[in-house]
Amino acid sequence: MTLKTSTLQDVARVAGVSTATVSRALSNPKMVTESTRTRVSKAVETTGYRINRAARNLRTQRSHSVLVLLPDLANPFFSEILEGISRILAHQGYSMLIASTGQVHDSGERLLDYLDDARADGMIILDGGLDRDVVDMLENAGKTRRILFACEWVEGADFPTVRCENHQGTLDAVNHLYDLGHRKIAHVTGPEGNVLMHVRKDAFVEQIAALDLELNPGWVIPGDFSIAAGCRAAQAWIGLEDRTTAVFCASDQLALAFIAELSRHGIKVPEEVSVMGFDDIDIAEQFIPPLTTVRQDRMRLGETAANMLMTQITYPDNRGAGNIAILPVSLVVRESTAPPP
Amino acid sequence: MTLKTSTLQDVARVAGVSTATVSRALSNPKMVTESTRTRVSKAVETTGYRINRAARNLRTQRSHSVLVLLPDLANPFFSEILEGISRILAHQGYSMLIASTGQVHDSGERLLDYLDDARADGMIILDGGLDRDVVDMLENAGKTRRILFACEWVEGADFPTVRCENHQGTLDAVNHLYDLGHRKIAHVTGPEGNVLMHVRKDAFVEQIAALDLELNPGWVIPGDFSIAAGCRAAQAWIGLEDRTTAVFCASDQLALAFIAELSRHGIKVPEEVSVMGFDDIDIAEQFIPPLTTVRQDRMRLGETAANMLMTQITYPDNRGAGNIAILPVSLVVRESTAPPP
DNA sequence: CTGAAAGCGCTTACAG
DNA sequence: CTGAAAGCGCTTACAG
């Protein structure tokens, strides 16, 4: 029943040394003699001492925590990335703060405040759709070495980033459909203004051209990464005068909802149309039909992001090296794609 | 390009008042005259002052953050609960720290440390499967008013909790299947040792008895809330000598994987067997067939949990009142259930 | 290797 | 209504 937690002072008194020595024994054991070390250890034990992080943070000007900014807390795509980030941070004694872009905005805070008010030493941003002025503010504040973009990024800004091979993944997807015999392929895009949306769409258009395939204007269907957009996109596809035999969706959530909406209209996948996603979220494999998709190793992405950020925070002057990591993707062929009817 | 952030001192100097006055003007505006207030505001503006939270935290002995403990960061069930929690916290100027039980353990920390080392003012625990000695430690430390269990809870411990009507939801599920004409119903359980597993299983067994239905020992299939367990449970069900015509799964993830595995074995839902879940995660509605399930309002659950915890933290002496909130559930009938073949 | 002392940036009784 | 001063609990040059 420890009601009042003990301080460094208490430990020092019990061990019969100064607080400076206790501090050293704890944070840099080899600076003190073996005998002091054991006396301090014992004193820590008997007093039940726990460091007060608020005090240490104030003194060292470090918060020992990192903010992870998500576009949307409800999207399961991020769960495993968080797992990866958290694993690395915990290992280094860092805590993980989470916020979503919308809520930071709604509560009237500025993103930069997290860094400025000593709440976070750095941030991992998973939202490439940040308002341009927010991005500018971060950049102008000279905080680029405390910020890292993961999955998404901001074109033209000087932030380190880790992302996956979006371009290659998209080519793989289109080629897979082509190899199955599809010649009319549609694309459901991510949200307008999002980098991933552009990269994947551009790669799609590029490869369609490279394969010398037809591409009607209506075959590029605007969406975002949500379930609702997938349903809407399916309705748009159904309404097409000249339907395609295959559809490449910019995310799994989109693809799953797309297939579900088709199903509600009695259209069967892959018998009547092949559908692919991007991401390989957990449920993709359990869907009926199991979803053909492009796999991103989200755990590794999270780990890589956290490692890079920790390095930057620890060695802020190490400019240049390791500013960008691009992780491989892999095509996962399952049953939502088949030769055209 | 603010390189050095300014302090209260700087503001005080510019405004021509003491730091005490600046502090008051900022945190308790009505304590100072209108004219001082405007002078301070201007000084804040020109200096670009942001409060240093580490300093405030040390001084006030409050961290203004809350830890949310998840059993598993990768499970999408929690995403929307986080959204609810985060919304309330952000509104009150609190930050949200996230960790998973496994990682706290792996990194050699004790859960109690978050409270003891001034990292968090309170915690919301979403993991009822905590080791008994961890729970005892939390209870013995007298921190029960800083901790709240949400969704899950610990039997016999004196922690406030918010949860949903698990018992009623289970009865609704069984009754729904009964009303469709099912007389042989199986149950795939949650993880051994988990409260929800017990409550739902007991309610299931109770209602089966109340309806005077048969219940073979093999019809209660052990699982956990994961996808893998759903697949395993399906295999167990398939291997049954005397198969049931309906299955009630303790979670949606379980149910979705169960159906997927059946599908791999050529067994159709609901034509050959009806399957239900519990939770109503986003993807449930998009599954094929759309999943019949018991809906928990996860956003509201998160909001309620956060509100209750904030009240406890703010008024720690308000014992007794509002120690438990039980939220209603609702049956959502979709297409994974039908009359028996 | 160890200690005395300053100081990180706030808030809050205590006086006036 | 406002200010001078103490202090939250650490860490770290600076001496010795």
Side-chain angles (χ1 to χ4, degrees):
Chain A
M1 190 76 88
T2 328
L3 287 177
K4 176 88 179 86
T5 92
S6 42
T7 70
L8 251 203
Q9 293 253 32
D10 301 322
V11 178
R13 197 176 308 120
V14 172
V17 295
S18 72
T19 58
T21 298
V22 176
S23 179
R24 291 190 192 103
L26 260 26
S27 62
N28 209 343
K30 60 185 84 93
M31 281 187 74
V32 303
T33 57
E34 162 118 34
S35 79
T36 352
R37 215 180 303 148
T38 53
R39 271 163 68 208
V40 169
S41 301
K42 271 186 197 137
V44 167
E45 184 101 9
T46 66
T47 54
Y49 171 74
R50 298 283 145 184
I51 195 171
N52 181 314
R53 295 204 181 214
R56 182 182 54 170
N57 291 349
L58 175 58
R59 176 60 225 233
T60 60
Q61 307 282 42
R62 285 295 199 79
S63 68
H64 296 272
S65 48
V66 162
L67 174 73
V68 179
L69 187 76
L70 308 180
D72 172 12
L73 277 171
N75 187 337
F77 171 72
F78 300 105
S79 322
E80 213 171 310
I81 298 177
L82 292 184
E83 174 94 35
I85 293 174
S86 159
R87 185 172 294 185
I88 301 300
L89 294 185
H91 189 74
Q92 313 227 16
Y94 267 66
S95 307
M96 182 170 74
L97 243 26
I98 305 231
S100 72
T101 311
Q103 281 174 14
V104 170
H105 185 263
D106 290 351
S107 65
E109 292 185 305
R110 303 176 322 157
L111 202 43
L112 191 52
D113 284 346
Y114 276 86
L115 261 23
D116 278 348
D117 67 15
R119 246 181 307 178
D121 292 339
M123 41 205 269
I124 295 177
I125 303 184
L126 294 162
D127 184 357
L130 241 43
D131 281 348
R132 188 70 223 185
D133 51 330
V134 172
V135 173
D136 287 344
M137 183 177 284
L138 294 173
E139 223 179 346
N140 292 335
K143 296 289 167 55
T144 55
R145 303 302 292 179
R146 305 204 154 278
I147 295 172
L148 180 143
F149 278 78
C151 287
E152 311 195 355
W153 65 98
V154 173
E155 217 63 73
D158 185 31
F159 298 103
T161 112
V162 18
R163 60 224 220 195
C164 78
E165 244 309 353
N166 291 287
H167 186 263
Q168 186 59 47
T170 304
L171 303 192
D172 292 349
V174 175
N175 288 337
H176 166 66
L177 295 170
Y178 182 86
D179 291 346
L180 284 171
H182 293 279
R183 295 299 177 263
K184 296 167 151 193
I185 306 177
H187 178 47
V188 181
T189 76
E192 185 57 47
N194 179 291
V195 250
L196 291 184
M197 176 271 192
H198 287 291
V199 170
R200 292 177 190 168
K201 186 177 82 171
D202 292 351
F204 172 81
V205 172
E206 169 196 328
Q207 190 62 4
I208 290 292
L211 292 171
D212 218 17
L213 300 181
E214 181 185 4
L215 183 58
N216 282 357
W219 294 357
V220 175
I221 305 171
D224 57 51
F225 296 132
S226 73
I227 284 177
C231 297
R232 267 182 267 118
Q235 289 160 12
W237 182 86
I238 290 169
L240 246 32
E241 292 224 347
D242 187 16
R243 286 185 194 167
T244 61
T245 61
V247 180
F248 167 55
C249 298
S251 84
D252 282 357
Q253 279 222 111
L254 221 37
L256 264 22
F258 191 96
I259 296 175
E261 184 68 18
L262 291 188
S263 166
R264 284 177 209 116
H265 288 81
I267 300 172
K268 293 238 177 308
V269 174
E271 291 81 354
E272 300 176 58
V273 54
S274 286
V275 178
M276 290 191 62
F278 201 112
D279 291 342
D280 197 23
I281 59 178
D282 285 355
I283 203 69
E285 187 178 2
Q286 310 301 325
F287 205 71
I288 302 173
L291 189 71
T292 295
T293 188
V294 177
R295 174 168 172 72
Q296 300 196 55
D297 188 338
R298 297 178 290 141
M299 178 80 77
R300 191 170 151 211
L301 204 148
E303 290 177 345
T304 307
N307 274 323
M308 280 178 59
L309 183 64
M310 293 308 285
T311 305
Q312 283 175 203
I313 290 176
T314 317
Y315 311 105
D317 298 328
N318 183 23
R319 307 198 112 263
N323 263 344
I324 177 165
I326 301 190
L327 304 183
V329 294
S330 54
L331 182 70
V332 181
V333 177
R334 291 198 274 244
E335 299 166 32
S336 66
T337 51
Chain B
M1 187 78 86
T2 327
L3 287 177
K4 174 89 180 89
T5 91
S6 42
T7 70
L8 252 202
Q9 292 252 33
D10 300 323
V11 180
R13 196 176 310 122
V14 172
V17 296
S18 71
T19 58
T21 299
V22 177
S23 178
R24 291 192 193 102
L26 259 26
S27 60
N28 209 343
K30 60 185 83 92
M31 280 188 76
V32 302
T33 58
E34 163 119 32
S35 81
T36 357
R37 216 179 304 147
T38 53
R39 270 163 68 210
V40 169
S41 300
K42 272 187 195 137
V44 166
E45 185 101 9
T46 67
T47 54
Y49 171 75
R50 297 285 145 182
I51 194 170
N52 180 314
R53 294 204 182 213
R56 182 182 52 170
N57 291 349
L58 175 59
R59 177 60 226 233
T60 60
Q61 309 281 44
R62 285 293 200 80
S63 67
H64 296 274
S65 49
V66 162
L67 173 72
V68 179
L69 186 76
L70 308 179
D72 172 12
L73 278 171
N75 187 337
F77 170 72
F78 301 106
S79 322
E80 211 170 310
I81 298 178
L82 292 184
E83 175 95 34
I85 294 174
S86 160
R87 182 171 294 183
I88 301 299
L89 294 185
H91 189 74
Q92 313 227 14
Y94 267 66
S95 306
M96 181 170 73
L97 242 27
I98 304 229
S100 72
T101 311
Q103 280 174 14
V104 170
H105 185 262
D106 289 352
S107 65
E109 293 184 306
R110 302 176 320 158
L111 201 44
L112 190 52
D113 284 347
Y114 277 85
L115 261 23
D116 277 348
D117 67 16
R119 247 182 305 179
D121 292 339
M123 41 205 269
I124 295 177
I125 303 184
L126 294 163
D127 183 358
L130 241 42
D131 281 347
R132 189 68 224 187
D133 51 331
V134 172
V135 174
D136 287 344
M137 184 178 285
L138 295 172
E139 222 179 347
N140 292 334
K143 295 290 168 52
T144 55
R145 302 303 291 181
R146 303 203 155 280
I147 295 172
L148 181 143
F149 277 77
C151 286
E152 311 196 355
W153 64 97
V154 173
E155 217 62 75
D158 186 31
F159 298 102
T161 111
V162 19
R163 60 224 218 193
C164 78
E165 244 309 352
N166 291 287
H167 187 265
Q168 186 59 47
T170 304
L171 302 192
D172 291 351
V174 175
N175 287 338
H176 166 66
L177 294 170
Y178 182 87
D179 291 346
L180 284 171
H182 294 278
R183 295 299 177 263
K184 294 166 153 195
I185 306 176
H187 177 48
V188 181
T189 76
E192 185 56 49
N194 179 291
V195 250
L196 292 183
M197 176 272 190
H198 286 292
V199 171
R200 292 177 191 167
K201 187 178 82 171
D202 292 350
F204 171 81
V205 171
E206 169 196 327
Q207 189 63 5
I208 290 292
L211 293 171
D212 216 17
L213 300 181
E214 185 186 0
L215 182 59
N216 281 358
W219 294 357
V220 175
I221 305 172
D224 56 52
F225 296 132
S226 74
I227 285 177
C231 297
R232 266 182 269 118
Q235 289 160 12
W237 182 85
I238 290 170
L240 246 31
E241 292 225 346
D242 187 15
R243 287 185 192 165
T244 61
T245 62
V247 181
F248 167 54
C249 297
S251 85
D252 282 359
Q253 280 223 109
L254 220 38
L256 264 24
F258 191 96
I259 296 174
E261 184 68 18
L262 290 187
S263 166
R264 285 179 209 114
H265 288 82
I267 300 173
K268 295 238 177 308
V269 174
E271 291 80 353
E272 300 176 57
V273 53
S274 287
V275 178
M276 293 190 61
F278 201 112
D279 291 343
D280 197 23
I281 59 178
D282 286 354
I283 202 69
E285 187 176 4
Q286 309 301 325
F287 205 72
I288 303 174
L291 189 70
T292 295
T293 189
V294 177
R295 175 169 171 70
Q296 299 195 54
D297 188 337
R298 298 179 290 142
M299 179 80 76
R300 190 169 152 212
L301 204 148
E303 290 176 346
T304 307
N307 274 324
M308 279 177 60
L309 184 64
M310 294 309 285
T311 305
Q312 283 175 204
I313 290 176
T314 317
Y315 310 105
D317 299 328
N318 184 23
R319 308 198 112 262
N323 263 345
I324 178 164
I326 300 188
L327 305 182
V329 295
S330 55
L331 181 69
V332 181
V333 177
R334 291 198 275 246
E335 297 166 34
S336 66
T337 50

